[in-house]
Amino acid sequence: DIIGGDKTIESGTYIIRSAINEKFAIEVANASKDNCANVQLWKYSATLQQKFRVVYLDNGFYKITAKHSGKSLDVENASKEKGANVQQYQANGTNAQQWIIKDVGDGYYSIISKCNGLYVDVYNAIATNGTNIQMCDGNGLSAQKFIFEKIDTIEDLDTAKYPGYKEQIEKLLKSYKG
């Protein structure tokens, strides 16, 4: 079994940018809400499929959930093979959906799967639209380094510090959406 890591980042909503080219971020392909939808790299465009809720599970691991679908970042079939695909899947609490977010210095982090000890990796280290995200042995290269850029969202609002603000913002958003 893989031993958990430390709490390296706060729970919150993040854009996960590639160290190869920070203009590219991890996303769910075609904003799909389906189980098994592929996870890939795409030029950052502030879309919901490029935003992830990252929550520390107090066991040394994180759960990473796509904002647009509510589905978890997942190793396909909990595979232990190099090249295993990363996809989204309905949350099920398995080791295939638990991750170590390891601080590797200079503001970069590697993402390691609990189910196999392999690293989230940008296929062939190419930052281009549609490049696949897969699992690979740790090698310390840029293809396995990411920037977790925290973004403020309504759910992250400190309701103890700002009582009533969350409800007011939600009401305003609702009135704009008609």
Side-chain angles (χ1 to χ4, degrees):
D1 248 13
I2 309 303
I3 311 278
D6 297 319
K7 183 175 183 181
T8 50
I9 63 173
E10 291 301 310
S11 293
T13 302
Y14 290 86
I15 299 154
I16 305 171
R17 295 182 183 272
S18 173
I20 300 164
N21 181 337
E22 295 172 19
K23 289 185 171 85
F24 288 82
I26 291 178
E27 71 160 26
V28 176
N30 305 313
S32 175
K33 294 183 179 179
D34 298 337
N35 279 334
C36 307
N38 196 43
V39 172
Q40 65 185 11
L41 212 57
W42 202 270
K43 192 162 190 190
Y44 180 67
S45 59
T47 53
L48 270 183
Q49 73 262 25
Q50 294 180 332
K51 295 175 183 173
F52 293 88
R53 183 99 183 123
V54 178
V55 177
Y56 188 67
L57 300 173
D58 292 325
N59 63 352
F61 297 94
Y62 287 85
K63 177 180 171 183
I64 302 174
T65 307
K67 289 285 290 179
H68 77 289
S69 67
K71 296 203 165 138
S72 293
L73 210 61
D74 178 278
V75 176
E76 188 174 1
N77 300 320
S79 173
K80 300 198 182 318
E81 302 296 315
K82 282 191 294 197
N85 198 40
V86 178
Q87 62 182 8
Q88 75 173 2
Y89 202 85
Q90 192 67 44
N92 56 30
T94 61
N95 290 351
Q97 296 182 353
Q98 293 185 47
W99 307 90
I100 294 170
I101 297 176
K102 181 182 175 187
D103 187 338
V104 293
D106 297 327
Y108 295 110
Y109 296 86
S110 286
I111 309 166
I112 305 163
S113 172
K114 183 177 183 180
C115 81
N116 57 27
L118 297 174
Y119 285 61
V120 169
D121 180 271
V122 176
Y123 182 73
N124 280 343
I126 298 168
T128 188
N129 285 342
T131 299
N132 197 44
I133 300 296
Q134 62 173 11
M135 302 305 300
C136 201
D137 286 328
N139 58 28
L141 300 176
S142 294
Q144 298 178 356
K145 293 179 182 177
F146 301 91
I147 295 165
F148 280 76
E149 181 185 326
K150 194 165 199 278
I151 52 175
D152 293 323
T153 64
I154 294 172
E155 339 38 272
D156 298 322
L157 197 62
D158 184 343
T159 51
K161 204 182 213 177
Y162 305 104
Y165 273 56
K166 189 173 177 177
E167 295 77 10
Q168 289 292 337
I169 292 167
E170 285 168 343
K171 201 167 126 186
L172 280 168
L173 285 171
K174 212 173 273 174
S175 71
Y176 280 113
K177 289 175 184 162

